[in-house]
Amino acid sequence: MGTQKKYILVVNPISGDVDKTEICTAVATYAAATDVKIITFETSGKNDEAKLRKLYEKYQPERVLIAGGDGTIKMAGEALEHQDVIFGILPAGSANGLSVDLNLPTTIADNLPIAFHSDFIAIDMISINNKKSLHLSDLGLNALLVKNYEKSNIRGMIGYALQAITTLKEAEPPFEVKIEANGTTTECIARMVVIANSQKYGTGVTINPNGKMDDGMFEIVILKNLDLLVFGKIISGNMPLDSDDVEIITTEKAKITTEVPVSFQIDGEYCGAESCLDIHILQKQMKVAVV
């Protein structure tokens, strides 16, 4: 008999207002059938990274399964960034952008065999002012939406939709932005600037069709005009790429400066207003099990 495999299951009990009992039961049942020992770690929002590191050092698991949204995935990735471990994603947050981008199935039952057994890709992250971004960060309209969503008490897609209406009503004016990348400088007026490692928002909206999470590059997507028509096109998944209103820059390093501080968010977390962003790619930061 070989020694039993050990996996840590990281559970965010509050992400996405989804009851995690069902997920934990499904994981336990699947683990028992495949002779894997599960060590469960519930996040509390207090010293989660340090606690997870300690648990990892104690058990040295082969995989870390994550039942939560993008925020939970990022926390686990940062906590164990120096460990050679494969992460299995069980999407259960209000924003599951990473799982959407990796084309993972939507049900836990379909995700279990992938999380437990599948091969992996090593995905990049982006460093923005020394903070890590897993897939999508932005300045402008969407960051304001994230801020409003965080303050509201309605979660999930309905919460986002309601806040989108509020946000459009009280949107900050367009801002002047300067982007230095690939030895050239771009200056324009924008409604939103996206720093993208991947293609889609957690809502399934494609904002960056060129995005690949393991190519050592990221994209800066400049949305110069965001009237209701363009906003509607983006939300319905018809990114207007052939238009003068959208410009995409692919690079591994950039500096973005704005004339005034503008609302900014990283991976669905509001970070206040910023007027200067120093950005570079962090290659192959995290091994994630994929189909």
Side-chain angles (χ1 to χ4, degrees):
M1 277 291 288
T3 53
Q4 191 183 29
K5 281 185 182 175
K6 294 187 285 283
Y7 289 5
I8 288 176
L9 170 64
V10 178
V11 183
N12 180 340
I14 60 165
S15 64
D17 282 359
V18 182
D19 182 17
K20 305 305 185 308
T21 322
E22 210 175 296
I23 297 173
C24 293
T25 308
V27 169
T29 308
Y30 194 92
T34 49
D35 196 30
V36 172
K37 178 182 166 65
I38 296 289
I39 300 107
T40 303
F41 171 70
E42 272 205 9
T43 63
S44 65
K46 291 188 181 131
N47 303 323
D48 286 330
E49 288 189 27
K51 289 175 189 164
L52 181 54
R53 268 196 290 272
K54 222 172 184 175
L55 205 62
Y56 180 89
E57 279 155 22
K58 182 179 175 184
Y59 291 102
Q60 299 287 312
E62 291 178 42
R63 292 197 176 205
V64 173
L65 311 179
I66 304 166
D70 294 330
T72 314
I73 296 166
K74 192 165 82 166
M75 181 283 293
E78 289 192 8
L80 305 176
E81 64 183 338
H82 301 301
Q83 308 297 345
D84 188 15
V85 65
I86 298 167
F87 292 89
I89 313 289
L90 302 169
S94 49
N96 298 305
L98 185 67
S99 64
V100 170
D101 257 303
L102 295 171
N103 293 316
L104 292 175
T106 49
T107 69
I108 293 300
D110 289 339
N111 271 299
L112 285 168
I114 300 164
F116 269 76
H117 308 298
S118 253
D119 208 353
F120 64 88
I121 61 166
I123 61 171
D124 305 326
M125 286 190 192
I126 304 172
S127 169
I128 306 172
N129 289 0
N130 296 318
K131 287 181 179 171
K132 286 183 180 169
S133 169
L134 201 55
H135 61 112
L136 289 165
S137 305
D138 51 59
L139 283 162
L141 199 61
N142 187 61
L144 196 59
L145 168 60
V146 166
K147 179 187 179 183
N148 289 335
Y149 177 75
E150 280 180 3
K151 287 191 297 193
S152 83
N153 50 13
I154 301 169
R155 287 280 165 261
M157 293 299 286
I158 291 170
Y160 275 122
L162 289 172
Q163 291 311 318
I165 297 161
T166 311
T167 305
L168 277 170
K169 278 184 191 159
E170 58 178 57
E172 297 162 336
F175 51 92
E176 278 184 41
V177 63
K178 181 166 90 170
I179 297 164
E180 297 163 72
N182 304 327
T184 62
T185 301
T186 304
E187 293 188 64
C188 62
I189 303 279
R191 290 307 298 258
M192 189 166 142
V193 177
V194 185
I195 299 141
N197 187 31
S198 58
Q199 295 189 359
K200 300 183 185 94
Y201 280 107
T203 48
V205 172
T206 296
I207 194 79
N208 174 32
N210 311 344
K212 281 183 78 176
M213 301 194 74
D214 58 347
D215 63 352
M217 309 289 269
F218 63 91
E219 278 74 37
I220 298 168
V221 183
I222 310 161
L223 297 157
K224 297 173 187 176
N225 173 21
L226 261 188
D227 59 20
L228 270 172
L229 190 67
V230 177
F231 202 54
K233 275 185 179 173
I234 293 168
I235 285 176
S236 62
N238 302 305
M239 180 74 180
L241 286 177
D242 50 352
S243 108
D244 296 337
D245 294 332
V246 180
E247 188 175 338
I248 300 180
I249 299 165
T250 300
T251 186
E252 53 191 39
K253 199 171 80 170
K255 185 176 182 180
I256 299 177
T257 42
T258 57
E259 191 191 22
V260 294
V262 179
S263 293
F264 177 60
Q265 68 87 21
I266 291 182
D267 292 345
E269 188 185 331
Y270 185 68
C271 300
E274 293 285 351
S275 56
C276 184
L277 302 176
D278 270 305
I279 312 157
H280 63 269
I281 198 79
L282 301 163
Q283 291 194 2
K284 309 208 177 303
Q285 290 281 294
M286 194 173 177
K287 291 179 176 177
V288 180
V290 290
V291 186

